[in-house]
Structure formats: structure tokens, C-alpha cells
Amino acid sequence: MKKGNGKIEALYAKLGPVIYARCRRILKERAAAEDATQEIFIKILKSVDTIPGDDALIAWVHRVTTNYCLNALRDSRRRAEPMASESMPEPRDDDFEDSVVTKDFAEQLMARQPEELKAPAVMYHLKGMEQSRVAGALGVSRRTVLYRLAEFTERAKKFEALAEAGLA
């Protein structure tokens, strides 16, 4: 363990729950609150020399957290655009049968996904967007996009296994 990590851990133990609770209250979404908590704590660590004393600490953290979350909400409204429902690309004549089967499978898979998983999956897998661009377009962190894509992939594998067994 590196020297000084104990102070960081103590600071996080003291401030982490306060930051997370405020983020959760404002952002309303667990994943967004977790990401915001990490970002805010990193900002606090970068300005550790200017942190106020114990008397004003919680009020200062509350203000920093509120400002960060309100900015995140404002930015997400500015960037996020409603997605039109996506249709699958048209099959080519040379592999029509495979394309129809693939298209049917993809449509069934997408119909079974929660809305929060559909958008990143379409943007990343179908449109070929980079994860950071997907995050920006959806107004979430890249880590949230990674989690949602991983969950989508896991659900797709389970659905594929059910389909192969004739249970889907």
C-alpha cells in the first residue's frame, strides 16, 4: 500500500456516502449516481489543498456535488436526442435466407431488451459508433455504456441459447 492511501480512504469513507446520497437524490439513477460520485471525489482529490475545515466541509461537498449533478443533468438534456426506432438493414440478394434469419433473430432479441440497453446496442453494434460517442449522445458516462453493452451481450447469449433449444 502506498504511503498516504490511508488519508484518501478515510476521506472517502467520510465523504463518499454524503456525495453518493446527494447524487442519487438529484440524478435518480443508481449508475449515474455512482459515476458522478467517482468524478466528484476525483475533483475533490485534485483540490485537496483547498478543502475547507470540518465546520464547512459538508456544506462545501454538498455545493460541489449539487453543482456537478445539475450540470450533468443540463448537459444530458442538451446532448440526448430521442432515437427513432431502428430497423435492420435490408438483406442482399446473394444471402437472402441468412439475412432473413439474422434479421428475425435481431428483431426478436431487441424486442426483449429494456429500453436502456437498446440505444447503446444499436449505436455501438449497428451504427459502429465509438463508446465515448455513444456515452456523449446518451448523456451517460462511458463506464455506463460499457455496463449496458455487457448486459446486452449477456442477454443476447442467453436468448441465443434459448432460440437454439427452440424455447425462445
Side-chain angles (χ1 to χ4, degrees):
M1 182 181 281
K2 291 182 180 178
K3 191 175 185 179
N5 280 350
K7 289 182 181 179
I8 293 171
E9 290 172 3
L11 187 62
Y12 188 80
K14 183 176 184 176
L15 300 179
V18 174
I19 295 169
Y20 176 76
R22 186 67 182 153
C23 290
R24 182 67 193 234
R25 198 169 298 119
I26 295 171
L27 299 174
K28 309 282 190 234
E29 191 177 302
R30 182 186 59 79
E34 289 172 356
D35 290 343
T37 299
Q38 288 180 349
E39 293 297 323
I40 292 165
F41 194 72
I42 289 169
K43 285 179 181 254
I44 288 172
L45 287 178
K46 288 179 180 177
S47 62
V48 74
D49 296 334
T50 61
I51 293 177
D54 285 342
D55 294 342
L57 180 62
I58 298 301
W60 180 77
V61 167
H62 189 269
R63 186 175 65 249
V64 168
T65 302
T66 300
N67 289 342
Y68 180 90
C69 291
L70 292 176
N71 286 337
L73 286 172
R74 183 193 66 228
D75 292 346
S76 70
R77 277 184 283 232
R78 195 179 303 156
R79 285 185 294 204
E81 298 174 10
M83 285 192 55
S85 81
E86 296 290 333
S87 61
M88 297 302 296
E90 290 300 315
R92 295 188 317 252
D93 290 337
D94 59 342
D95 57 356
F96 180 75
E97 186 176 331
D98 288 341
S99 295
V100 170
V101 170
T102 302
K103 180 179 178 182
D104 184 50
F105 176 81
E107 287 175 347
Q108 288 179 31
L109 172 65
M110 292 303 281
R112 289 178 166 79
Q113 301 304 312
E115 287 300 318
E116 69 178 11
L117 300 182
K118 286 180 185 180
V122 167
M123 295 169 108
Y124 180 75
H125 293 294
L126 187 62
K127 293 187 174 188
M129 292 174 67
E130 294 178 8
Q131 293 171 353
S132 58
R133 288 192 60 219
V134 173
L138 296 176
V140 297
S141 70
R142 185 172 167 272
R143 177 173 290 179
T144 299
V145 170
L146 287 170
Y147 287 143
R148 289 178 182 174
L149 289 172
E151 185 174 346
F152 176 83
T153 301
E154 187 63 33
R155 287 170 173 254
K157 288 177 183 176
K158 289 178 183 176
F159 179 72
E160 183 178 34
L162 289 173
E164 286 177 358
L167 301 173

